[in-house]
């Protein structure tokens, strides 16, 4: 009985131990499962948080892209016009009445506001714009504010379409202003060192390969290895754009010609579209002109409302010179050749000017009849070009050239000094080694910000500032803030 009882006790003890182990195992499993559940929950929460963060980042990047795309679309819209936006009031980049535009290729949108500069100091200044663009993508909202200024042909001291050939930028040539050529630009020097080498403040070309150096070829640097030409100021040019730009955007000279040709209707509205003019004098705040040697003198009184004269001469030329210094801003356009028949005096862009002279053909330095032996008109309508000449103007021949009527006159070397700038399709000849004229361009610094009346802007706009998510200080993106 005792033994049997003992066995019973042993069996009972083993049973309790087994149940305890099973209970402990279940507890461990429960704890592990609880821990795994907690970890899974944490991972899920972290995953969801990361997904939301990623989506938020993606939305913000997409919204930033939409805002920047809006800026680019605004610049493209502005580049299609030849004049800056009128007035100072902000306006939407057009797409719909609410001002929102859809970004091509995605579902994002942008609200784009173009705010022209309100306080241009003078008419025909080169005003900038502030472009404010707010992009929306999903939950992301980003705002970009950028300011741009337009380029203008009158900003350049020398602007050429086809090429600037060998012999122009050589020893002694100095142009202290911007120069651009759509074609090749050739630099050369006869001196073995950098003394007296060609100098230009800012120069750009669209020609692949850069600038051309005889004996070397095309180069993207201002002094190629082995060349004896050091384009000055060398230290500035070696740093590249904007002083030395081998990959500049092309300037459309056909567009310039068509724009100037189209201004006849504007002049007609002012009552300053004139016909059959043979000779013209700049005289203070007016223009004097005659249609023939025996014709009466006619007068156009100039003012802020009468500052464009269009000479509709067909292919016939007109001769121009000063009777007295021009004192008001003015642009004169001729459908025929413009002959410079003497000194032209005008105020600079900073003190009462500028003067723009445009020919839809060539601008020609007339030969003085005292040297050629031909007849002339009586003073003050006569031609007086047998000496060095100074022209205070921006000369533009978008489909022609600046040239001398005869490169052998004057008989002794003289200077043709343009105090302003020159625009021409081709570089014309003004003289020979010992006779005729040599061109000197003295850049009018004020032309960097002020255009002659009705001169166009170019299709290129330059960025001057960029800000992301600015504080508008309680104002709306549509308000006039610039």
């Amino acid at each position: 009985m005792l033994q049997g009882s003992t066995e019973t006790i042993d069996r009972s003890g083993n049973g309790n131990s087994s149940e305890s182990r099973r209970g402990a195992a279940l507890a461990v499993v429960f704890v592990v499962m609880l821990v795994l559940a907690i970890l899974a929950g944490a991972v899920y929460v972290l995953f969801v948080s990361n997904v939301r963060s990623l989506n938020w980042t993606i939305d913000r990047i997409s919204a930033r892209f939409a805002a920047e795309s809006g800026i680019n679309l605004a610049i493209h819209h502005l580049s299609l016009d030849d004049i800056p936006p009128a007035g100072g009031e902000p306006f939407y980049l057009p797409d719909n009445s609410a001002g929102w535009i859809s970004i091509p290729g995605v579902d994002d949108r942008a609200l784009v506001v173009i705010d022209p500069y309100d306080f241009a100091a003078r008419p025909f200044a080169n005003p900038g714009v502030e472009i404010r663009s707010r992009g929306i993508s999903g939950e992301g909202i980003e705002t970009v504010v950028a300011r741009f200024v337009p380029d203008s042909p009158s900003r350049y001291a020398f602007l050429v379409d086809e090429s600037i050939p060998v012999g122009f930028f050589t020893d002694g040539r100095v142009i202290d202003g911007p120069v651009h050529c759509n074609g090749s630009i050739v630099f050369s020097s006869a001196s073995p060192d950098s003394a007296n080498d060609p100098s230009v403040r800012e120069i750009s070309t669209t020609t692949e390969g850069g600038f051309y150096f005889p004996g070397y070829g095309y180069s993207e640097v201002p002094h190629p290895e082995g060349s004896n030409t050091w384009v000055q100021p060398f230290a500035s040019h070696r740093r590249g754009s904007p002083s030395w730009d081998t990959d500049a955007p092309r300037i459309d000279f056909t567009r310039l010609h068509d724009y100037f040709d189209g201004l006849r209707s504007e002049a007609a509205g002012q009552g300053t579209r004139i016909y059959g003019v043979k000779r013209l004098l700049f005289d203070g705040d007016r223009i004097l002109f005659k249609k023939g040697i025996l014709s009466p003198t006619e007068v156009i009184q100039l003012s802020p409302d009468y500052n464009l004269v269009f000479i509709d001469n067909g292919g016939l030329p007109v001769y121009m010179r000063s009777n007295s210094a021009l004192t008001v801003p003015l642009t004169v356009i001729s459908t025929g050749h413009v002959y410079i028949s003497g000194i032209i005096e005008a105020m600079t862009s900073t003190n009462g000017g500028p003067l723009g002279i445009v020919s839809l053909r060539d601008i020609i330095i007339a030969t003085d009849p005292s040297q050629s032996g031909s007849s002339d008109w009586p003073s003050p309508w006569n031609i007086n070009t047998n000496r060095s000449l100074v022209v205070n103007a921006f000369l533009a021949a978008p489909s022609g050239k600046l040239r001398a009527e005869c490169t052998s006159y004057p008989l002794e070397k003289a200077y043709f000094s343009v105090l302003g700038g020159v625009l021409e399709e081709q570089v014309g000849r003004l003289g020979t080694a010992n006779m005729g004229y040599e061109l000197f361009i003295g850049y009018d610094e004020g032309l960097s910000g002020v255009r002659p009346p009705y001169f166009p802007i170019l299709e290129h706009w330059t960025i001057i500032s960029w800000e992301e998510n600015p504080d508008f200080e309680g104002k709306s993106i549509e308000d006039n803030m610039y």
Side-chain angles (χ1 to χ4, degrees):
M1 289 297 294
L2 292 173
Q3 184 177 1
S5 175
T6 302
E7 289 177 354
T8 302
I9 294 171
D10 289 341
R11 284 196 299 269
S12 176
N14 289 338
N16 291 338
S17 176
S18 177
E19 290 176 359
S20 297
R21 286 196 295 271
R22 284 197 299 271
L26 288 173
V28 170
V29 169
F30 176 77
V31 170
V32 170
M33 291 182 66
L34 181 61
V35 169
L36 289 176
I38 293 172
L39 288 174
V43 169
Y44 176 76
V45 170
L46 181 62
F47 174 76
V48 170
S49 176
N50 285 340
V51 168
R52 288 177 177 174
S53 177
L54 178 62
N55 288 337
W56 171 242
T57 301
I58 291 174
D59 285 348
R60 287 191 62 192
I61 293 173
S62 298
R64 178 75 54 80
F65 174 79
E68 292 176 358
S69 297
I71 296 283
N72 292 332
L73 288 171
I75 289 300
H76 174 71
H77 172 76
L78 293 172
S79 71
L80 299 177
D81 209 343
D82 295 307
I83 57 175
E89 290 301 314
F91 60 94
Y92 291 129
L93 182 63
D95 186 27
N96 56 46
S97 59
W100 289 93
I101 61 172
S102 299
I103 304 302
V106 294
D107 295 330
D108 305 332
R109 297 181 302 150
L111 175 64
V112 183
V113 177
I114 301 175
D115 189 356
Y117 185 58
D118 290 345
F119 306 108
R122 297 176 53 191
F124 304 108
N126 250 5
V129 296
E130 182 175 88
I131 302 174
R132 298 187 285 271
S133 179
R134 177 166 292 158
I136 292 182
S137 177
E139 297 182 1
I141 300 176
E142 293 286 310
T143 302
V144 174
V145 176
R147 292 179 180 177
F148 292 80
V149 292
D151 200 3
S152 171
S154 56
R155 182 183 73 88
Y156 294 87
F158 194 42
L159 180 57
V160 181
D161 186 19
E162 294 191 358
S163 67
I164 300 178
V166 62
F168 186 88
F169 276 114
T170 189
D171 292 329
R173 175 70 66 187
V174 177
I175 297 183
D176 192 22
V179 173
H180 173 82
C181 181
N182 288 332
S184 62
I185 301 176
V186 182
F187 289 104
S188 62
S189 173
S191 60
D193 56 17
S194 61
N196 207 36
D197 278 15
S199 176
V200 57
R201 182 202 302 176
E202 176 186 323
I203 191 159
S204 58
T205 179
T206 64
T207 299
E208 184 177 355
F211 304 90
Y212 190 83
F213 293 78
Y216 178 85
Y218 285 100
S219 172
E220 295 186 352
V221 297
H223 172 61
E225 185 177 353
S227 171
N228 62 344
T229 304
W230 300 70
V231 183
Q232 302 297 322
F234 179 73
S236 295
H237 292 326
R238 70 182 300 183
R239 290 194 291 267
S241 180
S243 176
W244 180 268
D245 191 352
T246 59
D247 190 27
R250 185 177 186 84
I251 293 175
D252 190 343
F253 274 62
T254 300
R255 174 175 172 171
L256 292 176
H257 175 278
D258 294 345
Y259 170 81
F260 285 119
D261 191 33
L263 284 177
R264 67 185 73 215
S265 58
E266 177 68 31
Q270 293 187 17
T272 55
R273 180 180 177 184
I274 52 181
Y275 303 84
V277 179
K278 297 291 182 62
R279 302 221 171 172
L280 180 148
L281 297 175
F282 300 103
D283 189 52
D285 61 352
R286 60 182 187 162
I287 278 182
L288 313 177
F289 65 93
K290 289 170 72 76
K291 297 181 178 180
I293 190 170
L294 301 178
S295 301
T297 299
E298 299 183 60
V299 179
I300 295 178
Q301 184 66 48
L302 303 171
S303 71
D305 297 322
Y306 299 93
N307 50 16
L308 172 68
V309 174
F310 195 100
I311 303 171
D312 211 339
N313 266 10
L316 297 177
V318 58
Y319 289 74
M320 299 182 184
R321 56 170 291 187
S322 283
N323 189 45
S324 65
L326 187 70
T327 58
V328 293
L330 174 67
T331 291
V332 178
I333 303 171
S334 174
T335 58
H337 294 317
V338 168
Y339 280 78
I340 305 297
S341 56
I343 291 173
I344 295 179
E345 299 176 282
M347 301 294 101
T348 65
S349 58
T350 56
N351 65 355
L355 167 63
I357 298 176
V358 181
S359 171
L360 299 182
R361 302 186 76 174
D362 288 350
I363 297 177
I364 303 169
I365 307 172
T367 298
D368 195 307
S370 66
Q371 295 191 321
S372 66
S374 58
S375 60
D376 200 1
W377 289 27
S379 179
W381 305 95
N382 60 312
I383 299 170
N384 186 5
T385 57
N386 61 348
R387 55 197 173 95
S388 292
L389 298 175
V390 176
V391 172
N392 290 96
F394 187 91
L395 303 180
S399 55
K401 63 184 74 173
L402 170 64
R403 61 182 175 90
E405 183 177 9
C406 179
T407 57
S408 299
Y409 295 107
L411 297 174
E412 295 182 356
K413 198 69 175 178
Y415 283 97
F416 183 74
S417 300
V418 179
L419 305 184
V422 175
L423 179 158
E424 54 186 336
E425 184 183 34
Q426 304 173 27
V427 176
R429 292 187 62 200
L430 274 66
T432 63
N434 301 311
M435 296 180 292
Y437 295 98
E438 182 175 337
L439 178 64
F440 171 81
I441 299 175
Y443 181 54
D444 180 356
E445 295 286 349
L447 290 174
S448 62
V450 177
R451 296 167 289 127
Y454 295 96
F455 258 60
I457 59 173
L458 298 174
E459 53 267 50
H460 315 299
W461 289 69
T462 302
I463 186 170
I464 58 175
S465 71
W466 182 277
E467 186 178 4
E468 297 174 356
N469 295 318
D471 182 3
F472 291 141
E473 298 179 351
K475 294 183 179 179
S476 168
I477 191 173
E478 295 96 343
D479 290 344
N480 188 352
M481 293 184 280
Y482 185 57

